[in-house]
Amino acid sequence: MKSIFSKSKTISNRSFRFYVFLIGITLPIFNICFQNLNADSIQERFSPPNGFQRNRFPNESFATYLQNFPLKPIGSSVLLYDGRTKTNQVHVAVLDFPLLRDDLIQCADAVMKLRAEYFYSQKKYNQIQFKISNGMEVPFSRFVKGERVQVVGNKSQWKEGKYKQGTERDVFEEYLRFIYSYAGTISLKSELKKKNIQNLTPGDVWIEAGSPGHVVMVVDQVTGKGGQTLFLLAQSYMPSQEMHILKSQSKYSPWFELPENQLFQTPEWEFPSKEFYGFVK
């Protein structure tokens, strides 16, 4: 009986060690597999394709801000401003991008919101400034001082009154709501600079101004050993909807390749390839 017991104990110890070993090698694999499922930012969710490396930018830059922008849980649908699900689901991820309960934050508005939110997070309040459709410059700094804009027809002017002052979030949101209401692709394009697509960086846009027009924004970038550039694109659309990262038709999808033809096809809009712009500062 002693020998049988000893043999059983030896087998049991070997089985225990085997299971410990198995757990030790499988846990890292599970961690790798589920890492992207639980990721909460663009660069964590989307690894560079094989042979590519993510482009790095200064920590305080707009490009880095976009690369680290939080995402909603994997599998999230794009929702419209009224809570309905968008009919044409052309995305791979949804930005954690709260909407208003009004049809205000469309394509250009979403781009301006990202830009404004970046400066606001850096407390660079004097750099938050956009044009409205009649060409008037509207800096956030004047809202901070308690001024507001009065719009009558196509004319607008600054006015003073007992308006709230300061840089608090509610003043900032009031400013953004005004911009959403009176700006669009035409006014946004007028304050951007033309760029060569070979100099692409996160924060740049393809934009076609008009009514309707459209704009998509580069939010991440990787480079291959041979210098090939791939990038991720995000958009909002009409009606107002959550900003989302688009699928591409590239073999590297959702990463896009630089367009080689005169036209650049995205899931819901075809842009002239040359209509590529960046923010001035």
Side-chain angles (χ1 to χ4, degrees), residues 119-137:
F119 284 131
Y120 191 80
S121 70
Q122 300 283 318
K123 297 184 179 180
K124 296 178 180 178
Y125 306 123
N126 289 334
Q127 292 185 249
I128 302 173
Q129 176 170 308
F130 298 101
K131 290 182 181 179
I132 57 175
S133 295
N134 66 2
M136 180 182 185
E137 297 274 2

Side-chain angles (χ1 to χ4, degrees), residues 146-175:
E147 299 177 69
R148 298 295 186 268
V149 180
Q150 183 179 46
V151 178
V152 179
N154 194 43
K155 296 182 178 180
S156 55
Q157 63 181 6
W158 288 100
K159 62 177 182 176
E160 298 179 355
K162 295 182 179 179
Y163 301 107
K164 185 169 181 179
Q165 302 181 25
T167 59
E168 287 79 5
R169 187 77 200 185
D170 55 348
V171 178
F172 180 54
E173 292 287 355
E174 183 184 355
Y175 169 80

Side-chain angles (χ1 to χ4, degrees), residues 211-228:
S211 298
H214 192 43
V215 58
V216 293
M217 173 177 268
V218 179
V219 293
D220 201 358
Q221 178 185 16
V222 296
T223 302
K225 293 180 180 178
Q228 182 182 7

Side-chain angles (χ1 to χ4, degrees), residues 254-270:
W255 299 89
F256 284 79
E257 299 177 79
L258 291 176
E260 296 180 351
N261 303 314
Q262 292 184 351
L263 296 176
F264 176 44
Q265 184 67 52
T266 67
E268 294 185 299
W269 198 273
E270 187 176 67

Side-chain angles (χ1 to χ4, degrees), residues 13-74:
N13 287 338
R14 287 178 179 173
S15 298
F16 177 77
R17 288 197 298 270
F18 173 75
Y19 285 124
V20 170
F21 170 76
L22 190 62
I23 292 171
I25 64 172
T26 55
L27 276 178
I29 295 173
F30 277 111
N31 285 338
I32 292 171
C33 291
F34 287 103
Q35 179 180 358
N36 285 359
L37 293 179
N38 297 323
D40 62 356
S41 75
I42 291 174
Q43 69 169 345
E44 289 173 328
R45 177 85 53 91
F46 297 102
S47 300
N50 289 338
F52 289 81
Q53 288 189 336
R54 176 167 278 107
N55 291 42
R56 301 295 180 183
F57 302 92
N59 288 338
E60 304 301 315
S61 67
F62 186 40
T64 298
Y65 174 82
L66 293 173
Q67 289 177 321
N68 288 282
F69 202 88
L71 299 174
K72 293 180 70 175
I74 195 165

